[in-house]
Amino acid sequence: SLVQKMTGPLVPEDVFIAQEILRRKCLVGLMEEMEESIRRFHFYFHYRYLGIEEDENAALNCAIEHFAKKGLSGQNSHGHPTLDETSETYEILATKNQLDIRLYEFAKELFVEQGKWMKEKKMLV
């Protein structure tokens, strides 16, 4: 959907376009790094609790508590069975989704780069 190609085959060049869109226009968050992602969104977008700057930590703690902590009703994840990466099923899925996998691997790298940039710019506490 990043390259607005909802039908028809994707080609490797589509991945490069999607990567550039992510690099230029997105602050990446990862489910497996939910607490850190929430922290980055909070400071990047200057979220405030009811618009009161003094309560900035309250807003951040509230978001982390409701969206990043394991076992809470607000948790944004579901359990899924583990798929053996050596299985035939995994190979079929990986082949079918190889461009998505490449884009995801790039997004994970971009997450690390953006974290370094935010720390250099003193955007993260």
PDB file of all heavy atoms in Angstrom, residues 34-35 37-39 41-42 47 49 56-69 72 74-76:
ATOM      1  N   MET A  34       7.556  -2.171  21.864  1.00  0.00           N
ATOM      2  CA  MET A  34       6.398  -1.302  22.066  1.00  0.00           C
ATOM      3  C   MET A  34       6.678  -0.172  23.057  1.00  0.00           C
ATOM      4  O   MET A  34       6.335   0.980  22.794  1.00  0.00           O
ATOM      5  CB  MET A  34       5.190  -2.113  22.507  1.00  0.00           C
ATOM      6  CG  MET A  34       3.927  -1.272  22.648  1.00  0.00           C
ATOM      7  SD  MET A  34       3.442  -0.443  21.116  1.00  0.00           S
ATOM      8  CE  MET A  34       2.490  -1.738  20.371  1.00  0.00           C
ATOM      9  N   GLU A  35       7.293  -0.471  24.186  1.00  0.00           N
ATOM     10  CA  GLU A  35       7.529   0.580  25.180  1.00  0.00           C
ATOM     11  C   GLU A  35       8.443   1.662  24.617  1.00  0.00           C
ATOM     12  O   GLU A  35       8.166   2.856  24.759  1.00  0.00           O
ATOM     13  CB  GLU A  35       8.118   0.000  26.461  1.00  0.00           C
ATOM     14  CG  GLU A  35       8.208   1.025  27.564  1.00  0.00           C
ATOM     15  CD  GLU A  35       8.525   0.430  28.931  1.00  0.00           C
ATOM     16  OE1 GLU A  35       8.231  -0.759  29.161  1.00  0.00           O
ATOM     17  OE2 GLU A  35       9.056   1.189  29.758  1.00  0.00           O
ATOM     18  N   SER A  37       8.877   2.344  21.451  1.00  0.00           N
ATOM     19  CA  SER A  37       8.132   3.015  20.382  1.00  0.00           C
ATOM     20  C   SER A  37       7.204   4.077  20.946  1.00  0.00           C
ATOM     21  O   SER A  37       7.160   5.212  20.439  1.00  0.00           O
ATOM     22  CB  SER A  37       7.322   1.989  19.575  1.00  0.00           C
ATOM     23  OG  SER A  37       8.177   1.059  18.949  1.00  0.00           O
ATOM     24  N   ILE A  38       6.486   3.743  22.007  1.00  0.00           N
ATOM     25  CA  ILE A  38       5.585   4.709  22.644  1.00  0.00           C
ATOM     26  C   ILE A  38       6.380   5.899  23.168  1.00  0.00           C
ATOM     27  O   ILE A  38       5.980   7.050  23.000  1.00  0.00           O
ATOM     28  CB  ILE A  38       4.775   4.038  23.772  1.00  0.00           C
ATOM     29  CG1 ILE A  38       3.749   3.081  23.169  1.00  0.00           C
ATOM     30  CG2 ILE A  38       4.087   5.079  24.652  1.00  0.00           C
ATOM     31  CD1 ILE A  38       3.045   2.204  24.175  1.00  0.00           C
ATOM     32  N   ARG A  39       7.520   5.626  23.765  1.00  0.00           N
ATOM     33  CA  ARG A  39       8.373   6.696  24.292  1.00  0.00           C
ATOM     34  C   ARG A  39       8.794   7.640  23.157  1.00  0.00           C
ATOM     35  O   ARG A  39       8.736   8.855  23.283  1.00  0.00           O
ATOM     36  CB  ARG A  39       9.604   6.078  24.964  1.00  0.00           C
ATOM     37  CG  ARG A  39      10.472   7.039  25.724  1.00  0.00           C
ATOM     38  CD  ARG A  39      11.607   6.328  26.458  1.00  0.00           C
ATOM     39  NE  ARG A  39      11.250   5.102  27.157  1.00  0.00           N
ATOM     40  CZ  ARG A  39      10.586   5.040  28.310  1.00  0.00           C
ATOM     41  NH1 ARG A  39      10.183   6.137  28.894  1.00  0.00           N
ATOM     42  NH2 ARG A  39      10.307   3.875  28.870  1.00  0.00           N
ATOM     43  N   PHE A  41       7.274   8.110  20.182  1.00  0.00           N
ATOM     44  CA  PHE A  41       6.108   8.852  19.693  1.00  0.00           C
ATOM     45  C   PHE A  41       5.780   9.996  20.640  1.00  0.00           C
ATOM     46  O   PHE A  41       5.484  11.115  20.212  1.00  0.00           O
ATOM     47  CB  PHE A  41       4.888   7.937  19.549  1.00  0.00           C
ATOM     48  CG  PHE A  41       5.045   6.811  18.546  1.00  0.00           C
ATOM     49  CD1 PHE A  41       4.376   5.619  18.741  1.00  0.00           C
ATOM     50  CD2 PHE A  41       5.845   6.940  17.427  1.00  0.00           C
ATOM     51  CE1 PHE A  41       4.502   4.577  17.837  1.00  0.00           C
ATOM     52  CE2 PHE A  41       5.977   5.907  16.514  1.00  0.00           C
ATOM     53  CZ  PHE A  41       5.308   4.730  16.722  1.00  0.00           C
ATOM     54  N   HIS A  42       5.825   9.703  21.930  1.00  0.00           N
ATOM     55  CA  HIS A  42       5.484  10.689  22.946  1.00  0.00           C
ATOM     56  C   HIS A  42       6.359  11.937  22.833  1.00  0.00           C
ATOM     57  O   HIS A  42       5.864  13.057  22.788  1.00  0.00           O
ATOM     58  CB  HIS A  42       5.633  10.052  24.334  1.00  0.00           C
ATOM     59  CG  HIS A  42       5.372  10.978  25.461  1.00  0.00           C
ATOM     60  ND1 HIS A  42       4.102  11.238  25.917  1.00  0.00           N
ATOM     61  CD2 HIS A  42       6.204  11.720  26.217  1.00  0.00           C
ATOM     62  CE1 HIS A  42       4.177  12.107  26.916  1.00  0.00           C
ATOM     63  NE2 HIS A  42       5.439  12.407  27.118  1.00  0.00           N
ATOM     64  N   TYR A  47       3.394  14.866  23.020  1.00  0.00           N
ATOM     65  CA  TYR A  47       2.125  14.556  23.681  1.00  0.00           C
ATOM     66  C   TYR A  47       2.114  15.134  25.090  1.00  0.00           C
ATOM     67  O   TYR A  47       3.106  15.107  25.800  1.00  0.00           O
ATOM     68  CB  TYR A  47       1.881  13.054  23.757  1.00  0.00           C
ATOM     69  CG  TYR A  47       1.609  12.405  22.427  1.00  0.00           C
ATOM     70  CD1 TYR A  47       2.079  11.132  22.154  1.00  0.00           C
ATOM     71  CD2 TYR A  47       0.881  13.056  21.446  1.00  0.00           C
ATOM     72  CE1 TYR A  47       1.828  10.527  20.930  1.00  0.00           C
ATOM     73  CE2 TYR A  47       0.631  12.460  20.224  1.00  0.00           C
ATOM     74  CZ  TYR A  47       1.102  11.196  19.984  1.00  0.00           C
ATOM     75  OH  TYR A  47       0.858  10.596  18.786  1.00  0.00           O
ATOM     76  N   TYR A  49      -0.517  15.475  28.735  1.00  0.00           N
ATOM     77  CA  TYR A  49      -1.690  14.993  29.444  1.00  0.00           C
ATOM     78  C   TYR A  49      -2.639  16.165  29.629  1.00  0.00           C
ATOM     79  O   TYR A  49      -2.336  17.111  30.354  1.00  0.00           O
ATOM     80  CB  TYR A  49      -1.269  14.403  30.789  1.00  0.00           C
ATOM     81  CG  TYR A  49      -2.373  13.765  31.569  1.00  0.00           C
ATOM     82  CD1 TYR A  49      -2.950  12.579  31.141  1.00  0.00           C
ATOM     83  CD2 TYR A  49      -2.837  14.346  32.733  1.00  0.00           C
ATOM     84  CE1 TYR A  49      -3.957  11.982  31.857  1.00  0.00           C
ATOM     85  CE2 TYR A  49      -3.843  13.754  33.463  1.00  0.00           C
ATOM     86  CZ  TYR A  49      -4.407  12.572  33.016  1.00  0.00           C
ATOM     87  OH  TYR A  49      -5.406  11.969  33.736  1.00  0.00           O
ATOM     88  N   GLU A  56       3.588  15.749  31.637  1.00  0.00           N
ATOM     89  CA  GLU A  56       4.110  14.998  30.507  1.00  0.00           C
ATOM     90  C   GLU A  56       4.439  13.560  30.888  1.00  0.00           C
ATOM     91  O   GLU A  56       4.103  12.625  30.178  1.00  0.00           O
ATOM     92  CB  GLU A  56       5.360  15.688  29.951  1.00  0.00           C
ATOM     93  CG  GLU A  56       5.923  14.996  28.731  1.00  0.00           C
ATOM     94  CD  GLU A  56       7.038  15.789  28.096  1.00  0.00           C
ATOM     95  OE1 GLU A  56       6.935  17.015  28.023  1.00  0.00           O
ATOM     96  OE2 GLU A  56       8.005  15.152  27.668  1.00  0.00           O
ATOM     97  N   ASN A  57       5.082  13.372  32.035  1.00  0.00           N
ATOM     98  CA  ASN A  57       5.415  12.016  32.478  1.00  0.00           C
ATOM     99  C   ASN A  57       4.168  11.200  32.758  1.00  0.00           C
ATOM    100  O   ASN A  57       4.151   9.993  32.529  1.00  0.00           O
ATOM    101  CB  ASN A  57       6.328  12.058  33.701  1.00  0.00           C
ATOM    102  CG  ASN A  57       7.738  12.458  33.340  1.00  0.00           C
ATOM    103  OD1 ASN A  57       8.165  12.294  32.205  1.00  0.00           O
ATOM    104  ND2 ASN A  57       8.453  12.991  34.307  1.00  0.00           N
ATOM    105  N   ALA A  58       3.119  11.835  33.254  1.00  0.00           N
ATOM    106  CA  ALA A  58       1.872  11.112  33.508  1.00  0.00           C
ATOM    107  C   ALA A  58       1.296  10.579  32.200  1.00  0.00           C
ATOM    108  O   ALA A  58       0.825   9.439  32.144  1.00  0.00           O
ATOM    109  CB  ALA A  58       0.863  12.016  34.208  1.00  0.00           C
ATOM    110  N   ALA A  59       1.342  11.374  31.150  1.00  0.00           N
ATOM    111  CA  ALA A  59       0.831  10.933  29.841  1.00  0.00           C
ATOM    112  C   ALA A  59       1.664   9.774  29.309  1.00  0.00           C
ATOM    113  O   ALA A  59       1.121   8.774  28.813  1.00  0.00           O
ATOM    114  CB  ALA A  59       0.837  12.096  28.853  1.00  0.00           C
ATOM    115  N   LEU A  60       2.983   9.885  29.411  1.00  0.00           N
ATOM    116  CA  LEU A  60       3.862   8.816  28.933  1.00  0.00           C
ATOM    117  C   LEU A  60       3.639   7.537  29.728  1.00  0.00           C
ATOM    118  O   LEU A  60       3.475   6.463  29.157  1.00  0.00           O
ATOM    119  CB  LEU A  60       5.323   9.257  29.037  1.00  0.00           C
ATOM    120  CG  LEU A  60       6.367   8.205  28.681  1.00  0.00           C
ATOM    121  CD1 LEU A  60       6.173   7.691  27.265  1.00  0.00           C
ATOM    122  CD2 LEU A  60       7.762   8.770  28.873  1.00  0.00           C
ATOM    123  N   ASN A  61       3.607   7.653  31.051  1.00  0.00           N
ATOM    124  CA  ASN A  61       3.399   6.472  31.889  1.00  0.00           C
ATOM    125  C   ASN A  61       2.047   5.828  31.635  1.00  0.00           C
ATOM    126  O   ASN A  61       1.928   4.601  31.628  1.00  0.00           O
ATOM    127  CB  ASN A  61       3.561   6.838  33.361  1.00  0.00           C
ATOM    128  CG  ASN A  61       4.986   7.199  33.705  1.00  0.00           C
ATOM    129  OD1 ASN A  61       5.921   6.769  33.039  1.00  0.00           O
ATOM    130  ND2 ASN A  61       5.165   8.019  34.729  1.00  0.00           N
ATOM    131  N   CYS A  62       1.029   6.635  31.404  1.00  0.00           N
ATOM    132  CA  CYS A  62      -0.305   6.112  31.107  1.00  0.00           C
ATOM    133  C   CYS A  62      -0.285   5.317  29.797  1.00  0.00           C
ATOM    134  O   CYS A  62      -0.820   4.217  29.721  1.00  0.00           O
ATOM    135  CB  CYS A  62      -1.300   7.263  31.033  1.00  0.00           C
ATOM    136  SG  CYS A  62      -2.989   6.743  30.669  1.00  0.00           S
ATOM    137  N   ALA A  63       0.345   5.873  28.770  1.00  0.00           N
ATOM    138  CA  ALA A  63       0.415   5.184  27.475  1.00  0.00           C
ATOM    139  C   ALA A  63       1.186   3.880  27.593  1.00  0.00           C
ATOM    140  O   ALA A  63       0.759   2.844  27.061  1.00  0.00           O
ATOM    141  CB  ALA A  63       1.056   6.101  26.432  1.00  0.00           C
ATOM    142  N   ILE A  64       2.311   3.909  28.281  1.00  0.00           N
ATOM    143  CA  ILE A  64       3.101   2.686  28.450  1.00  0.00           C
ATOM    144  C   ILE A  64       2.302   1.641  29.225  1.00  0.00           C
ATOM    145  O   ILE A  64       2.254   0.469  28.849  1.00  0.00           O
ATOM    146  CB  ILE A  64       4.438   2.997  29.146  1.00  0.00           C
ATOM    147  CG1 ILE A  64       5.360   3.759  28.180  1.00  0.00           C
ATOM    148  CG2 ILE A  64       5.110   1.720  29.634  1.00  0.00           C
ATOM    149  CD1 ILE A  64       6.615   4.309  28.817  1.00  0.00           C
ATOM    150  N   GLU A  65       1.655   2.075  30.292  1.00  0.00           N
ATOM    151  CA  GLU A  65       0.887   1.147  31.131  1.00  0.00           C
ATOM    152  C   GLU A  65      -0.255   0.497  30.355  1.00  0.00           C
ATOM    153  O   GLU A  65      -0.528  -0.692  30.519  1.00  0.00           O
ATOM    154  CB  GLU A  65       0.335   1.901  32.343  1.00  0.00           C
ATOM    155  CG  GLU A  65      -0.188   1.016  33.425  1.00  0.00           C
ATOM    156  CD  GLU A  65       0.885   0.154  34.089  1.00  0.00           C
ATOM    157  OE1 GLU A  65       2.046   0.564  34.169  1.00  0.00           O
ATOM    158  OE2 GLU A  65       0.527  -0.959  34.516  1.00  0.00           O
ATOM    159  N   HIS A  66      -0.913   1.234  29.480  1.00  0.00           N
ATOM    160  CA  HIS A  66      -2.085   0.704  28.776  1.00  0.00           C
ATOM    161  C   HIS A  66      -1.761   0.008  27.459  1.00  0.00           C
ATOM    162  O   HIS A  66      -2.569  -0.779  26.976  1.00  0.00           O
ATOM    163  CB  HIS A  66      -3.090   1.821  28.535  1.00  0.00           C
ATOM    164  CG  HIS A  66      -3.835   2.202  29.768  1.00  0.00           C
ATOM    165  ND1 HIS A  66      -3.261   2.260  31.011  1.00  0.00           N
ATOM    166  CD2 HIS A  66      -5.118   2.540  29.955  1.00  0.00           C
ATOM    167  CE1 HIS A  66      -4.155   2.617  31.900  1.00  0.00           C
ATOM    168  NE2 HIS A  66      -5.293   2.797  31.289  1.00  0.00           N
ATOM    169  N   PHE A  67      -0.612   0.304  26.872  1.00  0.00           N
ATOM    170  CA  PHE A  67      -0.333  -0.255  25.549  1.00  0.00           C
ATOM    171  C   PHE A  67       0.929  -1.093  25.452  1.00  0.00           C
ATOM    172  O   PHE A  67       1.106  -1.807  24.479  1.00  0.00           O
ATOM    173  CB  PHE A  67      -0.265   0.859  24.507  1.00  0.00           C
ATOM    174  CG  PHE A  67      -1.547   1.618  24.379  1.00  0.00           C
ATOM    175  CD1 PHE A  67      -1.638   2.918  24.852  1.00  0.00           C
ATOM    176  CD2 PHE A  67      -2.671   1.037  23.832  1.00  0.00           C
ATOM    177  CE1 PHE A  67      -2.828   3.623  24.756  1.00  0.00           C
ATOM    178  CE2 PHE A  67      -3.862   1.725  23.737  1.00  0.00           C
ATOM    179  CZ  PHE A  67      -3.944   3.024  24.200  1.00  0.00           C
ATOM    180  N   ALA A  68       1.817  -1.020  26.443  1.00  0.00           N
ATOM    181  CA  ALA A  68       3.085  -1.732  26.307  1.00  0.00           C
ATOM    182  C   ALA A  68       3.301  -2.815  27.348  1.00  0.00           C
ATOM    183  O   ALA A  68       4.124  -3.699  27.135  1.00  0.00           O
ATOM    184  CB  ALA A  68       4.248  -0.741  26.367  1.00  0.00           C
ATOM    185  N   LYS A  69       2.600  -2.777  28.441  1.00  0.00           N
ATOM    186  CA  LYS A  69       2.833  -3.761  29.500  1.00  0.00           C
ATOM    187  C   LYS A  69       2.141  -5.075  29.180  1.00  0.00           C
ATOM    188  O   LYS A  69       1.005  -5.099  28.705  1.00  0.00           O
ATOM    189  CB  LYS A  69       2.343  -3.232  30.855  1.00  0.00           C
ATOM    190  CG  LYS A  69       3.072  -1.993  31.311  1.00  0.00           C
ATOM    191  CD  LYS A  69       4.530  -2.295  31.599  1.00  0.00           C
ATOM    192  CE  LYS A  69       5.239  -1.044  32.086  1.00  0.00           C
ATOM    193  NZ  LYS A  69       6.641  -1.242  32.298  1.00  0.00           N
ATOM    194  N   LEU A  72      -1.989  -6.802  30.463  1.00  0.00           N
ATOM    195  CA  LEU A  72      -3.031  -5.839  30.829  1.00  0.00           C
ATOM    196  C   LEU A  72      -4.126  -5.834  29.767  1.00  0.00           C
ATOM    197  O   LEU A  72      -3.910  -6.200  28.622  1.00  0.00           O
ATOM    198  CB  LEU A  72      -2.433  -4.438  30.971  1.00  0.00           C
ATOM    199  CG  LEU A  72      -1.416  -4.289  32.104  1.00  0.00           C
ATOM    200  CD1 LEU A  72      -0.817  -2.893  32.085  1.00  0.00           C
ATOM    201  CD2 LEU A  72      -2.067  -4.552  33.447  1.00  0.00           C
ATOM    202  N   GLY A  74      -5.311  -3.473  28.141  1.00  0.00           N
ATOM    203  CA  GLY A  74      -5.023  -2.576  27.031  1.00  0.00           C
ATOM    204  C   GLY A  74      -3.912  -3.055  26.126  1.00  0.00           C
ATOM    205  O   GLY A  74      -3.544  -2.384  25.178  1.00  0.00           O
ATOM    206  N   GLN A  75      -3.362  -4.223  26.403  1.00  0.00           N
ATOM    207  CA  GLN A  75      -2.239  -4.713  25.617  1.00  0.00           C
ATOM    208  C   GLN A  75      -2.639  -4.848  24.155  1.00  0.00           C
ATOM    209  O   GLN A  75      -3.686  -5.383  23.824  1.00  0.00           O
ATOM    210  CB  GLN A  75      -1.768  -6.063  26.152  1.00  0.00           C
ATOM    211  CG  GLN A  75      -0.542  -6.579  25.431  1.00  0.00           C
ATOM    212  CD  GLN A  75      -0.131  -7.937  25.942  1.00  0.00           C
ATOM    213  OE1 GLN A  75      -0.760  -8.482  26.833  1.00  0.00           O
ATOM    214  NE2 GLN A  75       0.902  -8.494  25.373  1.00  0.00           N
ATOM    215  N   ASN A  76      -1.773  -4.385  23.292  1.00  0.00           N
ATOM    216  CA  ASN A  76      -2.041  -4.363  21.865  1.00  0.00           C
ATOM    217  C   ASN A  76      -1.359  -5.548  21.181  1.00  0.00           C
ATOM    218  O   ASN A  76      -0.575  -5.377  20.259  1.00  0.00           O
ATOM    219  CB  ASN A  76      -1.543  -3.033  21.282  1.00  0.00           C
ATOM    220  CG  ASN A  76      -2.018  -2.820  19.875  1.00  0.00           C
ATOM    221  OD1 ASN A  76      -2.953  -3.469  19.432  1.00  0.00           O
ATOM    222  ND2 ASN A  76      -1.372  -1.919  19.161  1.00  0.00           N
TER     223      ASN A  76
END
